[in-house]
Amino acid sequence: MKRKRNIPLNLERKDTMPEELEIEFKNMLTQGEFNCIKKHFSFTDKDFTLQKNHYFDTLANDLREKQCALRIREKNGKFEFTLKQPADGGLLETNQTITEHESSKMLAEGFIPPGEVESALNKLGIETKKFLHFGTLSTNRAESRYKDGLMVLDYSFYLNTEDFELEYEVNDRESGQEKFFDFLKTMNIPIRHADNKIKRFLRAVISD
């Protein structure tokens, strides 16, 4: 498998590449800011798609210790199995399309399906075949192309928590950051730190 640094952005994401480098910028939003961006891109409620992120780790939290994340994303009746791990300039994603049966089996029993993700886990030194499903975060997401990138507007809900977030997915870090910050400035939105969704979910688990 090859690392793919110049990723062609596909708004509908019809294809799952086995391995790719994810470069994105994030900013937390207030509900009012979320609504302003929704209006700016002329999003209607029909433009938002529900996706569910099911998160996994070993009993010893080996993935968390390595700052990695393992999830199944359920969207439009399709299931994508993904391992995210730190990499120079972004996050290295290993992706694998799985069946609904494979997803259900992993959620119920924790046994991972064979394939690219299992191979990537083995390379990390994680050879256990059984993982624990520790929770699900649901997101209503709308997307729009914006200046050679993909602008993503998210409303997420999990446990007793909800949050609003803007993401910008790009191919080039330097120019992408400039465009993202310029957009926030145009919308009069302050720059705010945004942890990734799994970290926010875990924080909610601890405080619940």
Side-chain angles (χ1 to χ4, degrees), residues 119-165:
S119 297
L121 287 167
N122 289 340
K123 290 178 182 178
L124 280 174
I126 300 174
E127 297 182 356
T128 179
K129 302 297 181 183
K130 190 168 185 178
F131 288 78
L132 174 68
H133 171 229
F134 62 84
T136 297
L137 178 149
S138 298
T139 298
N140 278 318
R141 166 170 290 189
E143 302 173 339
S144 178
R145 291 190 182 277
Y146 180 77
K147 294 187 176 181
D148 300 320
L150 188 69
M151 200 69 83
V152 180
L153 188 61
D154 283 349
Y155 162 59
S156 298
F157 46 100
Y158 45 102
L159 301 177
N160 295 315
T161 303
E162 64 176 11
D163 61 41
F164 305 88
E165 176 186 16

Side-chain angles (χ1 to χ4, degrees), residues 14-92:
K14 293 180 180 178
D15 300 319
T16 298
M17 290 181 286
E19 197 168 279
E20 59 183 298
L21 186 71
E22 178 185 66
I23 302 173
E24 66 180 13
F25 301 95
K26 299 171 176 283
N27 204 75
M28 300 306 296
L29 305 171
T30 66
Q31 186 171 359
E33 292 164 349
F34 175 92
N35 289 332
C36 285
I37 295 174
K38 180 181 176 181
K39 183 177 180 180
H40 177 84
F41 285 107
S42 300
F43 289 143
T44 68
D45 290 343
K46 293 181 180 179
D47 294 315
F48 286 81
T49 301
L50 177 65
Q51 60 185 37
K52 296 180 180 180
N53 294 325
H54 306 292
Y55 295 118
F56 301 85
D57 205 338
T58 66
L59 291 174
N61 295 317
D62 293 307
L63 290 171
R64 193 190 313 179
E65 292 295 322
K66 295 179 181 291
Q67 297 184 319
C68 297
L70 186 66
R71 73 164 187 229
I72 293 174
R73 172 167 288 173
E74 179 182 347
K75 180 179 177 182
N76 293 330
K78 297 181 179 179
F79 302 83
E80 184 181 52
F81 191 28
T82 299
L83 172 67
K84 292 190 177 189
Q85 52 186 306
D88 293 338
L91 289 172
L92 183 64

Side-chain angles (χ1 to χ4, degrees), residues 106-120:
M106 184 159 183
L107 285 166
E109 302 175 17
F111 293 106
I112 64 172
E116 294 90 348
V117 172
E118 182 183 33
S119 297

